[in-house]
Amino acid sequence: TERIRASGLSKKRVRGMSHCLITGAAGYVGQKLLAALSARKMFERIVALDVRPPQNLPPGVSFLQKDIRDRDLLALLRPYRLACAVHFAFVVNPIHNEKEMYDINVNGTLNLLGACAELGVPHLILASSASAYGARPDNPPFMSEEHPIRPFRSFSYAWHKGLIEEYLKDYVKAHPEMTVSVIRPCIIYGPHVDNYLSRYWRKMPLVPLINGLDPPFQFVHEDDVVDFILGLLKKKRAGAFNVAPDDTVSYSEVARMMGKRTMRLPFALVYLLVFLLWHFRYLEMPPGALYFTMYPWTVDNRRGKEEVGYRYRYSTRETAAVLVSKLRRK
């Protein structure tokens, strides 16, 4: 927050704004969002920013190969008339270099926030995660957006999302002229998703039910995430929004759908096994993520339905079926 305030933030709005910035544009959600915005011609130009180029650049897209941590980010974006910025640049697949992961996820986001405030970007959408609530035994069945953010430090992805949301509290107070929206999707899957979670499901010979626990899960389709963002860009609603379908599926049900056996195992044994497999680079999932297979972290979606008017095209079970179908083809 101090870095943001020290940057000499301007509260001036730029007239005639017609450009939209997408960070993390080469990611699976970023690329689908680029395609959707291009097809709908919602903006005169889309500015795609990432450290690597997207596979396909639709018409009306300008690509900037840039790290969001770079000090010249503000100067690079200044020529564009940004009406909005959608921030998806984040390390999703865990890496062993915790310092670098923090630098990209947290410091990179702070750098972007500072640039957006300096440029007077009217609408900012940041991708957080339902995992920021933390997976805890005392979580209610469906957490609303008012539920406290309580991630574990042992799972860096969720911890960094939680830290960013804490920074945002001061940022929003300092810049009331900006509309800041936060989306908190549950686990995202779809035909184009290939991440460490899907590879974990594929590699594990059986699915451990740690201490016999079998929590409910939510899966949101990549198309629903993109369409929800499009709805936010039109409605311009501020605040946090959970993004998840109505239904849930249990951990053991997903295992059965994939044709894998489940086995009740003690926490200490599974933690040690995953720690070793993570340490020796066989698994990409750190042991801190195991808590999310033990305790509930399902979210309520009513606010998005009421304020954005969004209705989900895919249920959790339908999205899980997409995951299973894709894994079986591997």
Side-chain angles (χ1 to χ4, degrees):
T1 306
E2 292 305 316
R3 283 181 54 185
I4 297 170
R5 288 175 176 167
S7 62
L9 307 181
S10 169
K11 294 186 177 181
K12 294 186 296 183
R13 292 177 181 267
V14 179
R15 293 183 179 180
M17 293 173 170
S18 58
H19 299 163
C20 181
L21 171 68
I22 310 294
T23 72
Y28 54 86
V29 176
Q31 293 195 76
K32 288 197 62 81
L33 184 57
L34 286 180
L37 287 174
S38 175
R40 287 162 177 78
K41 295 180 168 47
M42 294 175 64
F43 300 95
E44 178 186 334
R45 180 146 298 276
I46 306 160
V47 184
L49 188 146
D50 208 316
V51 293
R52 57 188 175 90
Q55 292 180 353
N56 298 297
L57 279 182
V61 177
S62 296
F63 174 63
L64 301 177
Q65 192 158 0
K66 177 62 63 174
D67 192 313
I68 58 170
R69 297 172 290 176
D70 288 351
R71 292 183 179 274
D72 63 346
L73 181 65
L74 174 61
L76 186 73
L77 296 176
R78 198 178 289 281
Y80 298 96
R81 294 173 283 118
L82 295 178
C84 65
V86 183
H87 180 41
F88 261 100
F90 212 82
V91 179
V92 176
N93 295 319
I95 60 177
H96 288 260
N97 189 334
E98 290 280 342
K99 185 177 179 180
E100 183 178 8
M101 188 172 177
Y102 176 92
D103 196 39
I104 297 169
N105 291 345
V106 180
N107 291 333
T109 298
L110 293 181
N111 193 38
L112 176 71
L113 290 175
C116 287
E118 182 71 36
L119 294 169
V121 179
H123 189 193
L124 178 62
I125 299 177
L126 282 92
S128 183
S129 169
S131 65
Y133 291 112
R136 297 178 182 271
D138 61 344
N139 281 342
F142 291 93
M143 293 176 282
S144 72
E145 288 82 356
E146 286 71 37
H147 193 84
I149 298 296
R150 303 185 299 167
F152 294 106
R153 288 192 78 117
S154 58
F155 185 37
S156 297
Y157 174 82
W159 176 249
H160 296 165
K161 294 289 190 184
L163 285 177
I164 290 167
E165 292 220 36
E166 286 298 315
Y167 287 128
L168 275 179
K169 293 177 182 178
D170 289 336
Y171 184 82
V172 169
K173 291 177 183 177
H175 304 287
E177 77 284 358
M178 295 176 67
T179 298
V180 180
S181 311
V182 177
I183 61 168
R184 297 172 183 161
C186 60
I187 302 171
I188 303 173
Y189 270 116
H192 301 92
V193 176
D194 183 24
N195 58 23
Y196 76 100
L197 288 174
S198 57
R199 291 189 286 272
Y200 168 80
W201 281 102
R202 188 168 65 244
K203 284 184 175 182
M204 292 298 282
L206 57 83
V207 175
L209 299 181
I210 301 174
N211 293 342
L213 299 170
D214 190 13
F217 279 84
Q218 289 167 304
F219 295 100
V220 63
H221 197 282
E222 58 189 30
D223 290 345
D224 277 315
V225 176
V226 169
D227 288 346
F228 192 95
I229 294 170
L230 296 179
L232 267 180
L233 288 170
K234 291 177 182 177
K235 297 280 187 176
K236 295 181 173 57
R237 293 292 189 267
F241 294 89
N242 294 329
V243 181
D246 298 330
D247 63 324
T248 64
V249 61
S250 71
Y251 197 40
S252 61
E253 285 179 279
V254 178
R256 285 197 294 272
M257 291 171 70
M258 292 190 299
K260 289 183 178 276
R261 290 193 308 119
T262 59
M263 181 177 292
R264 296 188 176 200
L265 294 171
F267 173 77
L269 176 61
V270 179
Y271 191 94
L272 176 61
L273 176 63
V274 172
F275 173 83
L276 292 173
L277 293 175
W278 160 257
H279 179 74
F280 289 107
R281 270 62 172 181
Y282 179 78
L283 280 185
E284 298 170 75
M285 190 181 86
L290 287 174
Y291 294 102
F292 290 85
T293 71
M294 297 172 61
Y295 302 121
W297 50 292
T298 55
V299 294
D300 182 279
N301 61 17
R302 281 177 292 181
R303 186 173 184 223
K305 288 181 176 179
E306 293 170 0
E307 296 192 27
V308 183
Y310 192 71
R311 295 295 181 268
Y312 289 86
R313 294 162 55 188
Y314 299 90
S315 67
T316 284
R317 290 180 180 276
E318 288 170 332
T319 306
V322 174
L323 162 66
V324 171
S325 175
K326 185 172 182 179
L327 291 180
R328 283 179 170 171
R329 291 197 300 269
K330 294 290 184 178

